[in-house]
Amino acid sequence: MDFITTAIISNAAYDIVKHGFLITKDKVKEGLSRWITEDAVAEQLAEQLAKLEITDEHSPIAIERRIDKSPELDALIRQINAHVATVAPSTITTVNQTHNGSGDNVAGNKISYKG
């Protein structure tokens, strides 16, 4: 199972239950809004997570372990990842830099914090 996806889902599930909410389609969509946008997928994920009987007593790691043991969630995560890969394919950027002297050597956008 994709450990990054599992970690994202387990942290979202943890955030839902730690605030005393039930894992529902709407809460899943809210917690994973950048990743899951379809109601049907959110509903399937909520149903599978509810079957794991996750409570506020579970840590994110305990939730992740429960997710890893679920073949239904494994299949659903593979389906979600396959869909995301076709909708938003990743791009790889290569940057070669040479730096002499003092100062910053930045590839891309530099974000400075002035607080």
Side-chain angles (χ1 to χ4, degrees):
M1 190 177 292
D2 180 2
F3 72 93
I4 294 174
T5 305
T6 303
I8 291 168
I9 292 172
S10 64
N11 282 319
Y14 175 75
D15 285 341
I16 292 168
V17 296
K18 83 174 180 183
H19 289 101
F21 296 111
L22 294 175
I23 297 175
T24 63
K25 170 190 71 162
D26 293 331
K27 287 295 178 188
V28 168
K29 275 187 72 174
E30 182 181 317
L32 300 169
S33 62
R34 291 186 160 178
W35 190 57
I36 296 179
T37 57
E38 298 171 11
D39 285 344
V41 175
E43 189 168 352
Q44 288 177 341
L45 187 56
E47 286 175 9
Q48 293 303 319
L49 290 172
K51 288 180 183 179
L52 299 179
E53 299 178 354
I54 299 168
T55 68
D56 59 351
E57 295 177 357
H58 291 100
S59 69
I61 293 172
I63 295 169
E64 191 172 329
R65 288 181 183 144
R66 284 178 175 237
I67 291 171
D68 281 337
K69 291 180 182 177
S70 170
E72 293 87 4
L73 273 169
D74 181 41
L76 183 58
I77 288 170
R78 288 178 193 271
Q79 179 185 8
I80 291 167
N81 283 341
H83 178 70
V84 170
T86 60
V87 172
S90 62
T91 58
I92 298 173
T93 303
T94 302
V95 176
N96 296 316
Q97 294 181 323
T98 303
H99 188 275
N100 294 312
S102 63
D104 296 338
N105 192 16
V106 178
N109 298 326
K110 179 177 178 180
I111 300 172
S112 300
Y113 175 74
K114 297 177 183 176

